[in-house]
Amino acid sequence: MKKTLLKLSGVAAAVVFAFGAITPVSAQSIAELQALIAQLQAQLAALSGGQTTTPTFNYTRDLTIGSTGSDVVALQSFLESKGRLVMPGGVAKGYFGPITRTALAQYQANHMITPAVGYFGPITRAKVMAEGAITTPGTGTPTTPGTGLSGGEASLESYTLDSENDVEEGKMDLVAVAEFDVEDGDVRINRMDVTFNFVGDAAQADDEPWDAFETITLMIDGKEIAEMDIDDEDDWLRDKSPFVVRLSNLDYVVDEGETVEIEIWLTAQNNVDGADSGDATWEIYVDNQGVRAVDSEGIQNYIGNTNEKVTFDIEEAGAGEGIEIMRSSNDPDASLLLVDTDDRSKWHEIFVFELEAEENDIDLEELVLLIRTGTANYNSVVNDVVIEIDGEEFDDFSLANGNTTEATLTFDIDGDFTIDADESVDVVVLVEFKKQVGNYVDKTETIRVQTVSVKGEGVDDVSDTSTVSSKTHTLSLSTADIGAYKWEVPSTGNFLDFYFTVEAEEDDFEVLEASIVDSITGTATVSDPVLTRQTGDAEAIMGGFEVLEGESATFRIRYSITGANGTWAEATITSIAGESVPNDKQKSPTATRNIQS
């Protein structure tokens, strides 16, 4: 049988000497031995002030939240050597938790490894192992607390504690933000004590913090600097009211002249007594010496204010959650929808509205719409309908009252789309129309869509019955580009003039006086609008003009003003030939009646 030979460094030899003769070892025990060597070298370097060398570890598996073992120890030591990880005081290495994940994500981002999410997979593993042994020269003297800091003796000033949010059962929420200034020198924040007081109804709620909270997390500028489990009485520095939790080894540097904001996040437990009745109320503060930092001189600095307090409630899971129907700025203006004489149309986007999830993620279950047609029944006008929610298409719906001009469509979403908490999504309604011949009248038939209700599910069932409507659109065998809108009040005479240009795109296009939608205000008397062609190619027809396909023409709508001298009038035109006039072009200037002597 072949013997396994192991080449050992001087420290490894010391380990063998201490533990006896070498016996055949497994890959796992080799890994454990390598980790032990690394720890012994670090300890020897700390005692001697000499060089420390962290050998390359042979990683053989992926690591993530919950992983344990000697390879986790080695990874944590590696991240420490890179200045990315500071283990909390009293916490042994060997467990891959949120702090390790954050440190690894920072290392990945610094080395352009994507995605930088703190998962130790093949790409990161290869990078870490490729870096080889890391040698750090010793100084010969112990490191002082102020090493690496600039400036002189620092001071912490202008402390405030601002209230943020309540905490929902089972969720992590930002509760408060502690803010203060750093003056006269850099500091390294290394400790923070947070004090808790129960101020609710003890007869109805849990009044000990380890029965109400899971974790406390501190963050600065989006970076987690500490996280701690606080769901056990032993986690607390003071286990009697007022209760105190201490977060140590923060190791966060703040430069001179900067203002630091420390966010305090709390995770509430599930099923907290009193959350459903509003009796689980807490108060937190940072006492006068609650934040400790060291400056470049090695002097400890403290700040906090016992009188600056934040009060918040633990809310029942699902409290305040809901879903809301809202208008969307993307809803299209009234327009002509091109249809075909003897074939179904293309798909037209005729309505856009928003759905917003409040407080929690909401799974959509059902969406109900009402479609109103003009004179022909829904079944004669509409061929098919689909909705798109944030780009995802749904076409499964049941139809009621299709033989009327007010049909109801119930879309079955069945939880297949989720709106994230406090986010909104656009819902787009697309309609395909039947052929025009034998079904409806060209340029007379209209369509409008209205919301009826929406149902969803978060922690509980949620719904909304708000009514939001689309603009009224007109079905047409021909369409045109209508624009160049302009109002004028002529310098002579008493008129209000509105100009616009029509370019026929699909077939010949009619512009009729009857298709002008307007309103008049004022004290003067105003005539009905008179439509005339100003330039371009357009043929006069009964009640207006016809622009031939591919041609364009400019038209004027004129209002004559009569009445007493000094009377006035304003006109508003909202649409022409089924096309909406932009809001900022609809209203005329004020025209004042001027009788010449």
Side-chain angles (χ1 to χ4, degrees), residues 427-544:
V427 180
V428 180
V429 181
L430 299 143
V431 178
E432 181 185 58
F433 297 100
K434 291 184 175 179
K435 65 180 183 179
Q436 183 268 329
V437 172
N439 287 315
Y440 50 88
V441 179
D442 176 37
K443 289 190 178 65
T444 299
E445 192 56 57
T446 60
I447 187 168
R448 182 161 62 96
V449 183
Q450 173 185 308
T451 61
V452 176
S453 65
V454 63
K455 294 181 181 179
E457 184 176 351
V459 176
D460 297 312
D461 293 336
V462 294
S463 63
D464 188 24
T465 57
S466 298
T467 298
V468 176
S469 297
S470 74
K471 308 296 191 302
T472 299
H473 303 279
T474 303
L475 278 58
S476 174
L477 291 172
S478 60
T479 60
D481 182 14
I482 305 179
Y485 303 102
K486 182 179 68 172
W487 281 100
E488 277 189 5
V489 178
S491 58
T492 59
N494 289 278
F495 306 107
L496 271 174
D497 291 338
F498 185 70
Y499 294 87
F500 63 95
T501 299
V502 175
E503 182 177 351
E505 297 175 332
E506 300 279 349
D507 209 344
D508 302 340
F509 188 82
E510 294 179 353
V511 182
L512 307 176
E513 288 182 350
S515 70
I516 301 167
V517 179
D518 63 358
S519 61
I520 306 294
T521 58
T523 58
T525 301
V526 179
S527 68
D528 291 334
V530 176
L531 179 68
T532 57
R533 180 181 63 83
Q534 300 297 294
T535 62
D537 295 323
E539 296 181 358
I541 60 174
M542 183 70 68

Side-chain angles (χ1 to χ4, degrees), residues 220-515:
I220 300 177
D221 293 333
K223 175 185 177 182
E224 179 184 301
I225 64 169
E227 182 187 51
M228 181 177 175
D229 291 335
I230 53 174
D231 58 350
D232 189 286
E233 185 175 355
D234 292 338
D235 298 326
W236 291 79
L237 181 66
R238 177 182 170 87
D239 58 5
K240 296 181 180 179
S241 185
F243 307 93
V244 179
V245 62
R246 171 166 288 176
L247 297 105
S248 303
N249 298 314
L250 305 186
D251 194 33
Y252 188 87
V253 174
V254 183
D255 295 335
E256 176 186 0
E258 296 294 322
T259 297
V260 63
E261 295 181 355
I262 305 178
E263 297 178 350
I264 303 173
W265 294 72
L266 293 173
T267 304
Q269 297 188 25
N270 294 310
N271 303 315
V272 176
D273 289 348
D276 57 344
S277 59
D279 295 310
T281 305
W282 287 84
E283 174 186 83
I284 63 170
Y285 60 89
V286 178
D287 70 26
N288 299 336
Q289 294 190 329
V291 177
R292 187 181 73 181
V294 63
D295 59 25
S296 62
E297 303 292 329
I299 299 173
Q300 302 292 343
N301 296 263
Y302 297 89
I303 200 169
N305 189 336
T306 303
N307 297 319
E308 291 264 348
K309 299 179 179 180
V310 163
T311 302
F312 63 93
D313 292 322
I314 299 177
E315 297 181 334
E316 183 180 16
E321 73 174 1
I323 189 168
E324 185 177 359
I325 300 171
M326 302 183 300
R327 296 188 181 278
S328 171
S329 60
N330 295 320
D331 186 37
D333 291 331
S335 61
L336 293 175
L337 305 177
L338 184 64
V339 293
D340 195 275
T341 304
D342 52 11
D343 197 2
R344 62 191 179 191
S345 74
K346 67 177 184 179
W347 287 96
H348 289 283
E349 179 181 304
I350 62 175
F351 186 29
V352 180
F353 62 96
E354 286 187 5
L355 295 176
E356 181 177 38
E358 299 172 344
E359 294 295 333
N360 289 323
D361 294 352
I362 301 297
D363 298 328
L364 292 183
E365 299 293 336
E366 178 185 279
L367 180 62
V368 183
L369 301 174
L370 180 70
I371 293 187
R372 286 192 172 95
T373 49
T375 56
N377 293 337
Y378 169 93
N379 287 337
S380 297
V381 176
V382 177
N383 188 65
D384 201 4
V385 180
V386 299
I387 59 174
E388 288 184 357
I389 307 175
D390 201 27
E392 189 171 340
E393 188 174 292
F394 297 89
D395 59 4
D396 182 12
F397 67 88
S398 59
L399 175 66
N401 302 320
N403 60 343
T404 73
T405 58
E406 293 190 355
T408 301
L409 285 65
T410 302
F411 285 84
D412 183 16
I413 312 300
D414 197 27
D416 290 336
F417 189 90
T418 300
I419 307 177
D420 294 336
D422 299 319
E423 297 291 334
S424 62
V425 295
D426 270 349
V427 180
V428 180
V429 181
L430 299 143
V431 178
E432 181 185 58
F433 297 100
K434 291 184 175 179
K435 65 180 183 179
Q436 183 268 329
V437 172
N439 287 315
Y440 50 88
V441 179
D442 176 37
K443 289 190 178 65
T444 299
E445 192 56 57
T446 60
I447 187 168
R448 182 161 62 96
V449 183
Q450 173 185 308
T451 61
V452 176
S453 65
V454 63
K455 294 181 181 179
E457 184 176 351
V459 176
D460 297 312
D461 293 336
V462 294
S463 63
D464 188 24
T465 57
S466 298
T467 298
V468 176
S469 297
S470 74
K471 308 296 191 302
T472 299
H473 303 279
T474 303
L475 278 58
S476 174
L477 291 172
S478 60
T479 60
D481 182 14
I482 305 179
Y485 303 102
K486 182 179 68 172
W487 281 100
E488 277 189 5
V489 178
S491 58
T492 59
N494 289 278
F495 306 107
L496 271 174
D497 291 338
F498 185 70
Y499 294 87
F500 63 95
T501 299
V502 175
E503 182 177 351
E505 297 175 332
E506 300 279 349
D507 209 344
D508 302 340
F509 188 82
E510 294 179 353
V511 182
L512 307 176
E513 288 182 350
S515 70

